Amino acid sequence: MAEELQHLIDRIQKEAVDTAEKQSEQLIAQAKQKAAAMVKEAEEKARLLIEKADNDAKAYTERSLKTLNQAARDLLITVGQGVENVLADIVDETVEQAMTIDAMKEMLVKVVEAYVAKGGVEDRVEILVSPKDQQEIVRFFESRYRQKLGQGIQLRAENDIFKGFKVSFAGGRVHHDFTKEAIAESLTNFLRPHLAEIVHRVAHENSGKKG
């Protein structure tokens, strides 16, 4: 009887141990599966975060480069405009100094000589000067071209002219502007492309040095 009881007890213990081992193995397997799933999910999240960070970095870099390029263009334009304004001021001042009454006389002599060489074929030549220079120019012409004054050449003052003169041929159909403003503008327009080329070349050279 005691042996049968002991055998029963041993069997119950063995079954309990087997059951516990099986449950333990199941729990371990479930834990491993859950851990593997969590690791996989974490790895996927990390991959997505890295991919997003990489895309964000590329987008930020691209935006930054565009911003820098635009800023560089704006700066270049601003510098170019500033230099162009300086150029315009220099040209204006240079023309202002060069456009003396003697220089105007020499220029007008060339105009009148060209008119005389053509035999005065135009209806008339009208020379417009500033009120300030009118008397001096009239005296000069009276001493050299007295016969032409009143016949084919007329001199009169124009309030809009401050320095320089205008010449009108054939009743105003042909017009030449030799005022200080017109000459300065023409010189500035002539120099502007050369100035732009210099600014761009200097900017390119500086960019190459920084690189």
Side-chain angles (χ1 to χ4, degrees):
M1 185 70 179
E3 292 179 357
E4 292 178 356
L5 181 60
Q6 184 61 44
H7 179 71
L8 179 61
I9 291 172
D10 291 341
R11 192 180 71 182
I12 291 172
Q13 288 179 342
K14 185 177 182 304
E15 289 178 354
V17 170
D18 291 342
T19 300
E21 288 178 350
K22 288 181 180 180
Q23 290 179 347
S24 177
E25 289 176 356
Q26 290 177 353
L27 289 173
I28 291 173
Q30 290 176 357
K32 287 182 178 180
Q33 290 178 355
K34 187 174 182 179
M38 292 175 64
V39 170
K40 186 176 181 180
E41 182 180 358
E43 288 177 345
E44 180 64 16
K45 287 183 178 179
R47 186 187 68 80
L48 292 175
L49 287 173
I50 292 173
E51 184 178 346
K52 183 177 184 302
D54 185 56
N55 292 334
D56 290 346
K58 288 179 180 178
Y60 176 77
T61 301
E62 185 177 351
R63 288 197 302 270
S64 298
L65 288 174
K66 288 182 179 178
T67 301
L68 287 174
N69 287 334
Q70 185 61 49
R73 284 194 294 268
D74 292 343
L75 178 61
L76 187 60
I77 291 173
T78 301
V79 171
Q81 290 175 342
V83 174
E84 185 174 321
N85 290 336
V86 172
L87 172 66
D89 291 340
I90 293 174
V91 170
D92 186 77
E93 183 178 354
T94 302
V95 175
E96 172 81 25
Q97 295 174 356
M99 189 64 73
T100 62
I101 191 69
D102 290 334
M104 287 175 56
K105 290 176 182 178
E106 292 181 10
M107 294 170 68
L108 285 169
V109 165
K110 298 297 182 183
V111 171
V112 174
E113 287 180 350
Y115 169 79
V116 172
K118 291 182 180 180
V121 293
E122 292 87 357
D123 295 338
R124 67 176 183 179
V125 176
E126 187 175 46
I127 300 174
L128 308 178
V129 297
S130 69
K132 182 184 69 173
D133 296 329
Q134 183 184 19
Q135 292 183 356
E136 178 70 20
I137 296 297
V138 167
R139 284 197 298 269
F140 171 73
F141 266 78
E142 284 180 344
S143 65
R144 297 194 57 169
Y145 302 104
R146 181 180 298 274
Q147 293 181 350
K148 292 294 181 182
L149 286 176
Q151 297 178 2
I153 300 176
Q154 295 184 356
L155 273 165
R156 67 182 180 86
E158 179 72 37
N159 291 328
D160 293 337
I161 298 176
F162 298 97
K163 206 158 200 179
F165 60 92
K166 295 179 182 180
V167 180
S168 177
F169 291 93
R173 290 193 296 273
V174 180
H175 181 79
H176 300 287
D177 193 338
F178 295 97
T179 59
K180 184 199 76 171
E181 292 78 12
I183 295 174
E185 183 180 358
S186 296
L187 285 173
T188 302
N189 290 335
F190 173 77
L191 294 172
R192 187 178 287 114
H194 304 283
L195 175 65
E197 181 181 349
I198 293 172
V199 172
H200 284 291
R201 185 174 68 248
V202 170
H204 179 72
E205 290 174 354
N206 289 338
S207 176
K209 290 179 182 179
K210 292 179 181 179

